[in-house]
């Protein structure tokens, strides 16, 4: 079975500050890991995915995440927060790269202060 | 990139009526479609998985007769909420591969 834990249901940063959203996973098989962003009343948009290639994954909008097997983590970072980054972020894990069930974390709401 | 078009984006219906939600893959063939439900300030709950041309697989606790899923073609999957009640009010989202639809806000009054 797979599971995801997102530490911190709410994270608040100042505009221009570093964004760090934490995600730890549990998986009995090599995982595929994803970060999604959701704006209010919208679907989820894929930010980036880890598919067993490079451990440092770069995504859209300046986000990146690093897969650390020893720590079973896949934290999301962005060097400088923008007001437009305020949204909810979901980490997810899957056993397969395509067309398989995604197990989601509970989500982290990011607030960006001006 | 891949786009999944979901309609309607919001719908209000009377208790006891049925509502159909459509998800279309616009530039690719969606062999598999996943349907989720999201309660306010909560994560996504997988309801069912549909495969083109076969019966959907429902997650434990999801009523098959209430949430009818049809995946008749490689570009269209539908979710019908039958005899809707206020407790069915929620945000419903479909997904194919990495791509999510834009979601449907259902309010049953």
């Amino acid at each position: 079975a797979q599971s995801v834990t997102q530490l911190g249901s709410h994270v608040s940063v100042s505009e221009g500050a570093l964004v760090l959203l934490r995600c730890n996973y549990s998986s009995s098989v090599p995982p595929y890991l994803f970060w999604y962003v959701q704006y209010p009343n919208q679907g989820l948009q894929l930010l980036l995915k880890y598919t067993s290639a490079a451990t440092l994954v770069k995504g859209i909008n300046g986000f990146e995440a690093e897969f650390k097997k020893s720590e079973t983590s896949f934290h999301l970072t962005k060097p400088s927060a923008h007001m437009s980054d305020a949204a909810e972020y979901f980490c997810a894990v899957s056993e397969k790269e395509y067309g398989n069930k995604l197990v989601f974390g509970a989500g982290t709401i990011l607030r960006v202060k001006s | 990139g891949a786009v999944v078009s979901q309609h309607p984006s919001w719908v209000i219906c009377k208790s006891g009526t049925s509502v159909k939600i459509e998800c279309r893959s616009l530039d690719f063939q969606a062999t598999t479609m996943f349907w989720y439900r999201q309660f306010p300030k909560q994560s996504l709950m997988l309801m069912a998985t549909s495969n083109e041309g076969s019966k959907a697989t429902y997650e434990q606790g999801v009523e098959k007769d209430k949430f009818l899923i049809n995946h008749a073609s490689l570009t269209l999957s539908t979710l019908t909420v039958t005899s809707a009640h206020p407790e069915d009010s929620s945000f419903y989202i479909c997904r194919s591969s990495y791509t999510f639809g834009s979601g449907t806000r259902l309010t049953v009054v």
Side-chain angles (χ1 to χ4, degrees):
Chain A
Q2 297 182 306
S3 66
V4 172
T5 301
Q6 291 185 240
L7 299 174
S9 58
H10 291 77
V11 170
S12 183
V13 301
S14 298
E15 193 174 18
L18 171 72
V19 175
L20 171 61
L21 304 182
R22 300 177 187 275
C23 171
N24 288 88
Y25 69 90
S26 173
S27 179
S28 57
V29 299
Y32 293 89
L33 294 158
F34 307 81
W35 274 101
Y36 282 89
V37 61
Q38 185 181 31
Y39 295 96
N41 290 312
Q42 294 186 28
L44 279 71
Q45 180 183 15
L46 180 66
L47 283 176
L48 49 80
K49 62 183 185 290
Y50 167 74
T51 58
S52 75
T55 56
L56 181 61
V57 182
K58 294 188 182 298
I60 62 172
N61 301 339
F63 285 94
E64 63 181 35
E66 186 171 10
F67 172 69
K68 292 186 177 180
K69 184 179 179 180
S70 61
E71 300 177 7
T72 61
S73 69
F74 190 57
H75 302 330
L76 182 71
T77 60
K78 182 174 181 178
S80 176
H82 287 240
M83 297 297 291
S84 60
D85 294 327
E88 187 161 18
Y89 293 80
F90 291 94
C91 181
V93 64
S94 176
E95 293 183 354
K96 296 180 182 179
E97 182 175 0
Y98 296 100
N100 199 29
K101 293 181 182 180
L102 287 175
V103 176
F104 285 89
T108 298
I109 294 174
L110 175 66
R111 179 187 170 211
V112 181
K113 300 175 291 185
S114 59
Chain B
V3 175
V4 174
S5 176
Q6 183 171 348
H7 293 280
S9 55
W10 61 269
V11 58
I12 301 173
C13 71
K14 291 186 177 181
S15 190
T17 62
S18 295
V19 173
K20 180 185 284 188
I21 300 169
E22 292 188 349
C23 279
R24 292 180 183 274
S25 57
L26 297 187
D27 47 5
F28 67 103
Q29 293 181 332
T31 307
T32 303
M33 192 73 77
F34 300 89
W35 287 93
Y36 294 85
R37 182 174 180 175
Q38 186 178 30
F39 292 99
K41 302 189 186 302
Q42 293 190 27
S43 189
L44 289 84
M45 180 192 79
L46 179 65
M47 299 175 64
T49 303
S50 71
N51 292 290
E52 186 267 337
S54 62
K55 289 185 177 180
T57 302
Y58 290 81
E59 296 299 302
Q60 192 172 6
V62 177
E63 298 177 61
K64 301 178 183 181
D65 295 333
K66 181 164 194 60
F67 299 100
L68 300 179
I69 291 174
N70 184 280
H71 197 152
S73 78
L74 287 172
T75 59
L76 175 64
S77 179
T78 62
L79 165 66
T80 301
V81 183
T82 63
S83 187
H85 290 281
E87 57 264 31
D88 299 324
S89 298
S90 193
F91 193 61
Y92 294 88
I93 319 175
C94 60
R95 172 180 73 92
S96 182
S97 187
Y98 303 136
T99 306
F100 280 84
S102 54
T104 298
R105 172 73 60 192
L106 170 63
T107 302
V108 184
V109 298

